[in-house]
Amino acid sequence: MTIDNDDLLNSILASLDRIAYISPEDIPNIDLYMDQVTTFMDNKLRPTSRHPEEDKILTKTMINNYAKNDLLPPPLKKKYSKEHVLLLIFIYYYKGILSISDIQTLLKPITEHFFHNGKAFNLESIYREAFGMEEKQIQALKADVMEKFKVAEQTFQDAPEQHVDFLRKFAFICTLSFDVYVKKLMIEKMVDELAKAQGMPGVPVRNENRKKSTRTQDEA
């Protein structure tokens, strides 16, 4: 490996350490207005965005779209509770890989049974369990990334020397992409099974979302 590639790998591993886990204790216990919600999410999640200077973490338009598509229960007197924020965090991570209808399938049972249910086992309990589990996976992810990087560095032994570095980075990206592709297929398969179990073979997306099917990812 060249020094440049060592730096690349170290940068990637360091970025995994910067993945933001928002603890329930970080979220205010008071209800928030929309501007306060967007500011909170921006402060917590911007460091992990691709382009921190310009990426939109959460906007008023996004929140309104989530409500229109039944991903988010309506606020009470224009204020959002701690559990609203927890749902928005789930949505933030899902939206990069799942469609609106898939997110509906996942969150519908959560909002129906655990949102403001007044019981000890509630939405916060689910959030703690799910994200606590993911937080523990960082070291395993690092090991997997390092192994894929090592394998990629052994590829293209016979390629023209001036192209070897690019081709090995290309191989590394291909390996990571295939991993994402396969996991996305598995996720979609499980979501489809959940939809069938809920009697929702295909959750329709509202017309508002269809009209905006060509919008950019930042608007989703």
Side-chain angles (χ1 to χ4, degrees):
M1 288 188 295
T2 67
I3 294 177
D4 286 344
N5 283 350
D6 279 331
D7 289 344
L8 172 64
L9 179 59
N10 290 333
S11 176
I12 292 170
L13 296 177
S15 70
L16 292 177
D17 288 326
R18 293 195 299 272
I19 292 176
Y21 171 74
I22 301 178
S23 168
E25 283 74 28
D26 295 334
I27 304 172
N29 280 317
I30 59 172
D31 292 346
L32 304 174
Y33 287 108
M34 186 180 288
D35 285 342
Q36 294 172 308
V37 172
T38 57
T39 299
F40 172 82
M41 295 285 283
D42 189 80
N43 289 339
K44 293 296 182 180
L45 296 173
R46 180 163 296 281
T48 59
S49 63
R50 183 176 183 179
H51 303 292
E53 305 82 8
E54 56 192 66
D55 285 348
K56 298 176 183 177
I57 302 302
L58 186 68
T59 66
K60 294 179 181 180
T61 299
M62 292 178 192
I63 293 176
N64 288 331
N65 284 339
Y66 300 152
K68 289 177 183 177
N69 286 288
D70 300 323
L71 301 182
L72 194 70
L76 181 62
K77 296 181 180 179
K78 297 185 179 181
K79 284 189 174 184
Y80 295 83
S81 67
K82 183 175 185 176
E83 293 195 345
H84 280 105
V85 177
L86 294 174
L87 284 173
L88 286 169
I89 296 170
F90 277 119
I91 294 168
Y92 176 79
Y93 287 111
Y94 286 149
K95 72 174 186 173
I97 56 172
L98 295 176
S99 66
I100 291 293
S101 62
D102 284 344
I103 300 175
Q104 285 176 334
T105 299
L106 283 174
L107 293 185
K108 186 173 183 291
I110 301 296
T111 55
E112 283 185 352
H113 301 295
F114 303 106
F115 184 83
H116 289 177
N117 65 358
K119 299 179 181 179
F121 190 87
N122 54 20
L123 180 57
E124 184 173 330
S125 304
I126 293 172
Y127 179 89
R128 286 182 184 277
E129 190 82 19
F131 277 88
M133 179 179 64
E134 292 173 10
E135 193 178 22
K136 295 174 184 176
Q137 296 300 310
I138 295 297
Q139 293 308 315
L141 283 170
K142 283 185 175 181
D144 182 61
V145 168
M146 287 189 287
E147 178 61 26
K148 285 181 170 61
F149 192 85
K150 180 180 178 181
V151 170
E153 283 296 295
Q154 302 306 312
T155 60
F156 296 107
Q157 297 288 340
D158 299 325
E161 185 177 354
Q162 67 269 32
H163 300 300
V164 168
D165 185 60
F166 167 78
L167 289 172
R168 287 178 177 171
K169 288 184 174 69
F170 179 75
F172 184 42
I173 291 170
C174 286
T175 303
L176 292 172
S177 299
F178 182 71
D179 185 67
V180 173
Y181 170 73
V182 171
K183 288 177 180 176
K184 186 172 185 290
L185 287 180
M186 291 190 291
I187 292 169
E188 290 172 343
K189 176 66 175 175
M190 287 188 286
V191 170
D192 289 344
E193 292 300 318
L194 288 172
K196 291 178 183 177
Q198 296 172 29
M200 301 161 57
V203 181
V205 179
R206 294 188 179 214
N207 289 333
E208 293 94 327
N209 193 56
R210 289 197 188 99
K211 293 176 182 177
K212 298 177 182 179
S213 60
T214 58
R215 63 189 177 179
T216 63
Q217 182 65 34
D218 284 340
E219 296 174 315

